[in-house]
Structure formats: C-alpha cells, structure tokens
C-alpha cells in the first residue's frame, strides 16, 4: 500500500470523505488545507480573517498563506501522509516538490476522483457549508477547472496519476481507491 498520497478532484468529489476513511485505516496523517483554513477562520486568527473572505467567494487563498500552514506539518511527518486539497495550483505543486525533496519523501501516488458537475452541485447543496451556495459552488468549479485541473497533466507526466470514479456508495469508492493503491 502506498502511503505518501495526494487526492485531487473537483469540489464535492468526495476527497475529504475518502481521505478520512483511508487515513483512519492506514494511520496516515490527513492534511486538508480546507480544514486547516477553516480552523484558522473559527479561531479568528489574522490568517483566518484574511482567508475567510476569499473562501466565502470560492476564490483560492494565496499560495504563500497555504504553504505557511502546510510546511510545518509536513516537516514533522514521521508516518505516511495524505494531502487533500493541496496543491491546488502549479505554483503550489512546485513549492511542494521542493519541500518534499528536502525531507526526502516523494509523492507515491496522486488519486484523481472524478464526478459529473450535476452530482457535485447536488451533494454540496445538501451539505450547506458557508461556501456551499449555488453561485459560489459554480465559481469553485470554474476555479478548479482553470487552476487545479492542470495538475492532472502535471502529475500524469510524472507517472503518478490513478483515476477513480467518485459515484456510488462511499465504501464502494473506498474499495476502488484501495485497489489502485495496492
Ligand atoms: P476545501 O475544503 O478543500 O473544499 P473543496 O476542494 O471545494 O472540497 P469539498 O470539501 O467541497 O469537497 P470534497 O471533494 O472534499 O468532498 P467531501 O468529501 O467534503 O477548500 C475550501 C476553500 O478553502 C477553497 O475554496 C479555497 O478558498 C480554500 N483552500 C483550500 N485549500 C487551498 C489551497 N491549497 N490553496 C488555496 N486555497 C485553498 O464531500 C462533499 C459532500 O458530499 C459531503 O456532504 C459528503 O458527505 C458528500 N459525499 C461524499 N461522498 C459521497 C458519496 N459517495 N455519495 C453521496 N454523498 C457523498
């Protein structure tokens, strides 16, 4: 089983849901930049205040801000890890590559979870997070297409991509993911 992983996919594809299951089962460190940013927002920290406005509009927060919160956690990694929602731009992927080079822990696999837009929107409207209203969801999908989807080609060139369909039952999808990682 590969244990240095990255999950990619549009908002609502199920990255967070699947990441939690896999991390629990294999004792991996789950690094979700969305969750980390939401903790900063709840704490009302200066970083959270800066991030909240952008998150509520469905925009990405700045690369430097995200890198600052990820770097410390990865530096202390002593077990396998799963990056969920990071990197989200080619610049973030390049910065990550430098960081992982320093700690000599290269990525072993990039799992791309796919799902049609109509299902993504339905799922997210059913969840109701502050950035889950239809206008913001549609904008998040556009931002994903423009800034994050190019990472699929980036990691395909490195031979790391495994694509998994994100439709169906949660546990069925978990089995598909484990199958491509074993
Ligand atoms: P983030 O928290 O990463 O949100 P996201 O990528 O939009 O992803 P979601 O959490 O919406 O979807 P998911 O794929 O994780 O699906 P989930 O499992 O939750 O980022 C939020 C914001 O933070 C960004 O917009 C940006 O502003 C900022 N940000 C974060 N990282 C950043 C970065 N690196 N750089 C810059 N900015 C950054 O599932 C969704 C719903 O579907 C849930 O209700 C779930 O219960 C349900 N569901 C899951 N699986 C199934 C299933 N199989 N069947 C039915 N329902 C399901």
């Amino acid at each position: 089983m590969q244990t240095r992983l990255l999950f990619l996919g549009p908002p609502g594809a199920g990255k967070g849901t699947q990441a939690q299951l896999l991390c629990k089962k294999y004792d991996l460190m789950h690094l979700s930049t969305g969750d980390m940013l939401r903790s900063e927002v709840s704490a009302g920290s200066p970083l959270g205040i800066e991030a909240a406005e952008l998150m509520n509009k469905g925009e990405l927060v700045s690369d430097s801000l995200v890198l600052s919160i990820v770097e410390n956690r990865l530096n202390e990694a002593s077990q396998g890890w799963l990056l969920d929602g990071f990197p989200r731009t080619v610049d973030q992927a390049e910065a990550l590559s430098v960081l992982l080079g320093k700690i000599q822990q290269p990525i072993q696999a990039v799992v791309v979870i796919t799902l049609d837009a109509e299902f993504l929107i339905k799922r997210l409207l059913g969840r109701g997070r502050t950035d889950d209203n239809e206008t913001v969801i549609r904008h998040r999908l556009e931002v994903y297409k423009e800034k994050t989807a190019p990472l699929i080609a980036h990691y395909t060139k490195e031979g790391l991509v495994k694509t998994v369909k994100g439709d169906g039952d949660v546990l069925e999808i978990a089995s598909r993911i484990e199958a491509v990682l074993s």
Side-chain angles (χ1 to χ4, degrees), residues 10-17 33-35 37-38 54-55 58-61 66 84-88 92 123-124 127 129 131-132 140 166 168-170 173:
K15 303 178 297 293
T17 304
T33 44
D35 287 349
L37 289 167
R38 280 183 287 278
L54 292 160
M55 292 171 78
E59 297 287 348
L60 297 183
V61 307
V66 175
D84 161 13
F86 172 87
R88 244 175 163 97
Q92 286 183 14
R123 276 189 190 175
L124 294 176
R127 178 173 62 184
R129 216 165 64 190
D131 56 346
D132 283 342
R140 281 160 60 199
D169 177 74
V170 169
I173 301 161

Side-chain angles (χ1 to χ4, degrees), residues 29-45 47-48 51 55 61 65-74 76 82-86:
M29 180 168 80
H30 180 194
L31 270 165
S32 157
T33 44
D35 287 349
M36 288 155 124
L37 289 167
R38 280 183 287 278
S39 303
E40 296 288 340
V41 172
S42 308
S45 69
L47 193 151
M55 292 171 78
V61 307
L65 199 152
V66 175
L67 282 165
S68 71
I69 61 171
V70 170
E71 190 161 1
N72 290 342
R73 296 286 305 279
L74 268 179
E76 62 197 31
L82 193 166
L83 299 175
D84 161 13
F86 172 87

Side-chain angles (χ1 to χ4, degrees), residues 13-35:
K15 303 178 297 293
T17 304
Q18 294 300 329
Q20 274 179 16
L21 289 174
L22 199 72
C23 288
K24 191 166 178 210
K25 185 161 177 186
Y26 292 98
D27 195 24
L28 307 179
M29 180 168 80
H30 180 194
L31 270 165
S32 157
T33 44
D35 287 349

